Amino acid sequence: MQKNAWMIRAGRGGIYSEDFEKGFAAIGWSQLGDLSQYSSTESLRDEYIKIYGSDKPVATANALAMLLKFRDEIAAGDYIVS
């Protein structure tokens, strides 16, 4: 199985760097809960807009791209760089 490397920031000023050192990585938008509960991109998008709004459609699209990458592409055993 191929391992990939990903850059995930540890929060502003590295506030979560100790958690990352313990083997945890996370992204924002915690009000969405477990991302695996969304059966489609559309359902995730709808819930994102319901919670966070969509005043800036480009920002919404960027956030959704990051959420989908985190949910669908990053896998156990991959390398995380902060």
Side-chain angles (χ1 to χ4, degrees), residues 26-65:
I27 56 174
W29 308 288
S30 60
Q31 292 182 38
L32 289 169
D34 182 349
L35 298 179
S36 67
Q37 70 180 311
Y38 302 102
S39 60
S40 68
T41 300
E42 292 77 22
S43 64
L44 177 58
R45 180 182 184 281
D46 291 346
E47 189 66 13
Y48 177 92
I49 290 171
K50 179 179 165 187
I51 295 169
Y52 298 104
S54 187
D55 292 338
K56 298 179 181 177
V58 171
T60 298
N62 287 338
L64 286 168

Side-chain angles (χ1 to χ4, degrees), residues 59-71:
T60 298
N62 287 338
L64 286 168
M66 285 185 269
L67 289 161
L68 291 168
K69 185 170 294 279
F70 196 83
R71 184 188 74 178

